[in-house]
C-alpha cells in the first residue's frame, strides 16, 4: 500500500507542552515500541532507497519494507509492504518482497534499533482521517545513540491538505521544524561519521517524467538539503553548513525562476518572496566568512570575528522565527501536493517532457551568458553581476536536469560543460566579492580600520577580469551537451 505522511521535529520540552495541551480531541493511546532495522554489511537496501524493519509493539511484531527515493522533505509518499512475524528474523517468502530485495536476503543482519514511547491519536477533520504519532525515544547503533523526538501525521483518508493544517496547529503550541530524515536514515547517520555540511546531490529523474513532476522532485531535494544544513547549524556555527544552506535556498529560488512558466498560482510569487527573504538573512554571515581569513591586521581580524558572532546569532534568530518555520511548512505543502498542476492554462507545459523543457531552458540562459560576457573586461560591475546571475541559473539548470542526459557522449559533454561553468562562476564570484566588500565593510563600520582596503585591491581586480574573460571564452567554445 502507499503511505502519505508529514513529519515534524520538536524539542522534548515542546513534546511535553503538546501533551499537556493535547489539541487532538481525545486522550492518546500510549505504546512502547522497539524497531530493529536490517540491511547488508554494504547497506545494499539503503543504496536502493529501501528499508526493512521489524517493529514490536506489545506482543505484536510487524515486518515492514518501505521504498522511497530519499529526496523528500517533510512530506513522504512511499510504497510499503507489511506483514506480521513471530520473531526478530525477517521473513522473505513473499515473491514480491523477495524480488524487491533482490539478492540481499541471505546477507541481512540487524544494524540498529529505535526505541520510542509513542503517543497515538486518530483525528477526524471534515473529510480527512489522520493518525497522529508523537514519538519520544532514541536511536541506538552499536555503542552510539541519539535522542529522537518527532511527530508524524499519516493520512488515512481524505485530502493531504489536512496534514498541513494540523501541522500548523501544532506549531502554534510549540515550535516545530519540517522533518527530513526517516527513522531508518537516522540510524544510518548514526553508524556513519558525524554529520556535517551537506552539498547538493543529483536528483533521480527519468525520461518519462513531465516537466512539472521533475520540478517537484528537484524542489523537494532542495528543501531537504536546506533542512539538513539548518540542523547542523543548530549545534555548530559551521561556515560550510551555512554556505550550503544558503546555496540550497538559492538553488530553489533559481529552480522557481527557471520553471516559472509552469505556474499560474498566487502562492508561487509569495513563496519566491519568502525564499528571497530567508536567503538574504544568511548574507552578512556568509560575506564575513569569505573575508575573515584575508585581513593583514590584527585589529581588522578581531573586528571581523566579533561581527561574525553577531551575524550568526542573527541567522539563528531568523531560523527559529515563526516566519521561517511557516515558510518551510508552506513550501513543503505546495511542492508535495502539487495542486498547481491542475491549472488548465498550463496543461501543455505540465505535460511537456522534462527533457524538452530543459533544452528550452538551456537555450534561453545560454544566449544570456554568451551575450552578457561580451567585452567583459570593460563592463561595469552591474553588467558583470547580471552575467553572474545568468551563469548561475544556467549551471544550476545543468545540474538539476543532468540525469536526463545519460548517453556516453552526453555525459562527457555535460562534464566538460560543468567544468567550464565552474571556472567562469569562480571568477565572477570573486569579482562580486571585491565589488561588494566596500559596502559590506561600511555596513560593519570597518572601512577605516587598518588594512581594510587590502580586501579589495585594484591589482586583484585586474587579474580577475582577465581570468574571467578567458573563462568566458573557454565556455563559449565548449560544446553544448543538450544539442
Amino acid at each position: 500500500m502507499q503511505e502519505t505522511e508529514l513529519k515534524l521535529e520538536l524539542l522534548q520540552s515542546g513534546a511535553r507542552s503538546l501533551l499537556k495541551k493535547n489539541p487532538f480531541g481525545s486522550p492518546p493511546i500510549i505504546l512502547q515500541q522497539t524497531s530493529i532495522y536490517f540491511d547488508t554489511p554494504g547497506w545494499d537496501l539503503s543504496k536502493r532507497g529501501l528499508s526493512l524493519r521489524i517493529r514490536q509493539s506489545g506482543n505484536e511484531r510487524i515486518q515492514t519494507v518501505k521504498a522511497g527515493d530519499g529526496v523528500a522533505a517533510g512530506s513522504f509518499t512511499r510504497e510499503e509492504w507489511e506483514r506480521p512475524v513471530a520473531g526478530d528474523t525477517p521473513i522473505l517468502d513473499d515473491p514480491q518482497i523477495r524480488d524487491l530485495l533482490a539478492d540481499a536476503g541471505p546477507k541481512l543482519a540487524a544494524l540498529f534499533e529505535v526505541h520510542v514511547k509513542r503517543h497515538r491519536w486518530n483525528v477526524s477533520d471534515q473529510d480527512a482521517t489522520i493518525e497522529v504519532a508523537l514519538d519520544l525515544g532514541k536511536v541506538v547503533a552499536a555503542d552510539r545513540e541519539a535522542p529522537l523526538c518527532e511527530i508524524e501525521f499519516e493520512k488515512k483518508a481524505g485530502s493531504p491538505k489536512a496534514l498541513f493544517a494540523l501541522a500548523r496547529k501544532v506549531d502554534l503550541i510549540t515550535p516545530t521544524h519540517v522533518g527530513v530524515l526517516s527513522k531508518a536514515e537516522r540510524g544510518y547517520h548514526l553508524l556513519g561519521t558525524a554529520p556535517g555540511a551537506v552539498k547538493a546531490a543529483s536528483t533521480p529523474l527519468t525520461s518519462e517524467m513531465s516537466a512539472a513532476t521533475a520540478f517537484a522532485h528537484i524542489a523537494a531535494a532542495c528543501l531537504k538539503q536546506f533542512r539538513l544544513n539548518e540542523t547542523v547549524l543548530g549545534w555548530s556555527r559551521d561556515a560550510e553548513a551555512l554556505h550550503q544552506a544558503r546555496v540550497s535556498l538559492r538553488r530553489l529560488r533559481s529552480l522557481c525562476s527557471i520553471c516559472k512558466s509552469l505556474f499560474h498560482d498566487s502562492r508561487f510569487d509569495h513563496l519566491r518572496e519568502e525564499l528571497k527573504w530567508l536567503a538574504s538573512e544568511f548574507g552578512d554571515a556568509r560575506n564575513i566568512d569569505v573575508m575573515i581569513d584575508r585581513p593583514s591586521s590584527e585589529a581588522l581580524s578581531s573586528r571581523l570575528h566579533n561581527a561574525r558572532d553577531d551575524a550568526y546569532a542573527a541567522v539563528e534568530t531568523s531560523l527559529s522565527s515563526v516566519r521561517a518555520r511557516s515558510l518551510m511548512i508552506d513550501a513543503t505543502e505546495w511542492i508535495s501536493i502539487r495542486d498547481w498542476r491542475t491549472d488548465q492554462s498550463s496543461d501543455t507545459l505540465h505535460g511537456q517532457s522534462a527533457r524538452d523543457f530543459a533544452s528550452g531552458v538551456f537555450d534561453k540562459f545560454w544566449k544570456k551568458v554568451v551575450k552578457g560576457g561580451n567585452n567583459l573586461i570593460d563592463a561595469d560591475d552591474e553588467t558583470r553581476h547580471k552575467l553572474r546571475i545568468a551563469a548561475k541559473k544556467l549551471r544550476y539548470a545543468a545540474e538539476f536536469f543532468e540525469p536526463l542526459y545519460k548517453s556516453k557522449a552526453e555525459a562527457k559533454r555535460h562534464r566538460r560543460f560543468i567544468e567550464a561553468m565552474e571556472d567562469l562562476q569562480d571568477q565572477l564570484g570573486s569579482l562580486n566579492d571585491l565589488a561588494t566588500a566596500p559596502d559590506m565593510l561600511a555596513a560593519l563600520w570597518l572601512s577605516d580600520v587598518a588594512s581594510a582596503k587590502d580586501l579589495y585591491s585594484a591589482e586583484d581586480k585586474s587579474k580577475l577580469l582577465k581570468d574571467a574573460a578567458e573563462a568566458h571564452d573557454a565556455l563559449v567554445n565548449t560544446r553544448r551537451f543538450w544539442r
Side-chain angles (χ1 to χ4, degrees):
M1 66 181 185
Q2 192 174 74
E3 171 193 55
T4 300
E5 69 175 33
L6 173 67
K7 187 191 302 288
L8 300 177
E9 298 172 0
L10 64 164
L11 298 175
Q12 296 270 355
S13 58
R16 289 192 293 270
S17 296
L18 191 61
L19 288 170
K20 184 176 180 180
K21 294 191 176 182
N22 189 7
F24 305 120
S26 64
I29 297 171
I30 300 176
L31 305 166
Q32 294 289 344
Q33 297 182 336
T34 297
S35 300
I36 305 173
Y37 286 79
F38 299 84
D39 205 337
T40 67
W43 298 4
D44 293 329
L45 300 190
S46 176
K47 291 173 183 175
R48 301 209 303 271
L50 301 171
S51 69
L52 168 61
R53 73 165 188 239
I54 293 177
R55 172 175 289 168
Q56 180 178 359
S57 184
N59 294 321
E60 182 183 51
R61 285 179 170 85
I62 299 293
Q63 173 182 290
T64 304
V65 177
K66 293 188 179 184
D69 59 22
V71 301
S75 181
F76 298 87
T77 299
R78 299 177 293 192
E79 299 296 324
E80 68 174 14
W81 297 263
E82 292 189 341
R83 61 162 296 167
V85 292
D88 292 334
T89 301
I91 303 298
L92 308 180
D93 56 2
D94 184 319
Q96 186 177 18
I97 297 300
R98 206 163 46 236
D99 291 344
L100 190 67
L101 302 185
D103 299 325
K107 297 178 286 185
L108 290 174
L111 292 189
F112 53 87
E113 297 181 1
V114 177
H115 303 265
V116 300
K117 182 178 182 180
R118 167 163 289 190
H119 298 76
R120 191 178 69 195
W121 298 263
N122 285 316
V123 178
S124 296
D125 183 7
Q126 297 182 7
D127 68 333
T129 301
I130 301 166
E131 181 179 286
V132 179
L134 175 63
D135 289 340
L136 295 90
K138 61 184 179 180
V139 184
V140 181
D143 59 346
R144 304 171 71 181
E145 64 178 57
L148 173 69
C149 187
E150 62 185 25
I151 185 167
E152 297 176 357
F153 309 92
E154 182 177 350
K155 179 180 73 68
K156 296 298 184 180
S159 169
K161 289 184 178 181
L163 302 179
F164 294 90
L166 200 52
R168 294 184 180 95
K169 188 174 182 180
V170 169
D171 191 65
L172 290 175
I173 295 172
T174 183
T176 62
H177 290 85
V178 170
V180 295
L181 292 177
S182 66
K183 291 181 175 68
E185 288 174 309
R186 289 179 182 276
Y188 286 110
H189 281 207
L190 202 56
L191 287 169
T193 57
V198 178
K199 293 185 177 181
S202 179
T203 304
L205 303 176
T206 66
S207 56
E208 295 79 20
M209 281 185 181
S210 69
T213 299
F215 165 82
H217 280 241
I218 299 166
C222 291
L223 277 183
K224 182 167 186 176
Q225 184 196 2
F226 172 77
R227 281 289 297 122
L228 290 173
N229 285 291
E230 182 186 13
T231 300
V232 175
L233 290 172
W235 65 71
S236 170
R237 289 183 172 180
D238 185 305
E240 183 60 18
L242 181 132
H243 174 53
Q244 292 301 328
R246 187 171 181 237
V247 165
S248 65
L249 293 173
R250 287 163 55 181
R251 283 168 60 87
L252 183 53
R253 289 183 60 222
S254 291
L255 178 67
C256 289
S257 178
I258 289 166
C259 298
K260 64 183 178 181
S261 59
L262 296 174
F263 312 113
H264 294 277
D265 183 334
S266 60
R267 294 169 299 171
F268 175 67
D269 291 331
H270 170 71
L271 287 173
R272 286 181 68 192
E273 287 302 311
E274 288 299 278
L275 289 169
K276 181 179 180 180
W277 160 74
L278 187 56
S280 71
E281 296 296 288
F282 290 79
D284 286 351
R286 176 57 183 167
N287 289 337
I288 295 170
D289 280 336
V290 169
M291 294 189 294
I292 205 161
D293 293 325
R294 296 180 185 175
S296 56
S297 81
E298 183 64 31
L300 181 56
S301 178
S302 177
R303 294 278 292 276
L304 280 173
H305 276 87
N306 289 337
R308 182 182 188 271
D309 288 340
D310 292 340
Y312 269 76
V315 169
E316 291 162 8
T317 298
S318 296
L319 290 176
S320 63
S321 68
V322 173
R323 185 177 182 182
R325 300 197 314 271
S326 297
L327 170 58
M328 288 297 107
I329 293 175
D330 292 347
T332 301
E333 178 182 27
W334 189 76
I335 291 166
S336 59
I337 294 182
R338 310 181 196 180
D339 54 1
W340 36 264
R341 297 196 301 181
T342 62
D343 189 282
Q344 297 301 312
S345 63
S346 297
D347 278 352
T348 301
L349 278 173
H350 287 168
Q352 183 181 22
S353 77
R355 179 164 170 140
D356 287 347
F357 179 82
S359 294
V361 167
F362 297 146
D363 285 340
K364 174 184 175 181
F365 287 104
W366 171 254
K367 290 176 183 177
K368 288 186 177 182
V369 170
V370 171
K371 182 178 179 180
N374 291 334
N375 201 27
L376 185 58
I377 292 179
D378 295 326
D380 57 27
D381 289 337
E382 180 60 26
T383 299
R384 283 192 292 270
H385 175 68
K386 290 179 179 179
L387 171 61
R388 186 175 70 90
I389 297 302
K392 186 181 301 179
K393 289 181 179 179
L394 177 58
R395 178 184 167 185
Y396 284 160
E399 291 175 344
F400 292 149
F401 297 109
E402 177 267 336
L404 302 175
Y405 299 84
K406 280 300 187 183
S407 75
K408 188 174 181 180
E410 288 171 340
K412 186 176 181 180
R413 293 199 298 267
H414 184 276
R415 184 169 60 254
R416 290 177 176 173
F417 187 85
I418 290 294
E419 289 172 354
M421 285 295 311
E422 287 176 345
D423 189 20
L424 175 60
Q425 276 194 279
D426 286 345
Q427 308 308 326
L428 293 174
S430 296
L431 283 166
N432 186 66
D433 291 341
L434 288 179
T436 58
D439 288 341
M440 182 66 197
L441 289 169
L444 297 172
W445 301 92
L446 297 176
S447 300
D448 297 329
V449 178
S451 80
K453 291 186 178 180
D454 293 345
L455 296 174
Y456 51 98
S457 70
E459 184 177 335
D460 288 340
K461 185 172 184 178
S462 178
K463 182 179 184 306
L464 285 171
L465 285 170
K466 180 175 179 295
D467 291 344
E470 291 176 356
H472 183 266
D473 290 342
L475 175 64
V476 170
N477 292 322
T478 299
R479 185 173 179 183
R480 287 172 283 176
F481 63 89
W482 66 94
R483 294 294 183 192

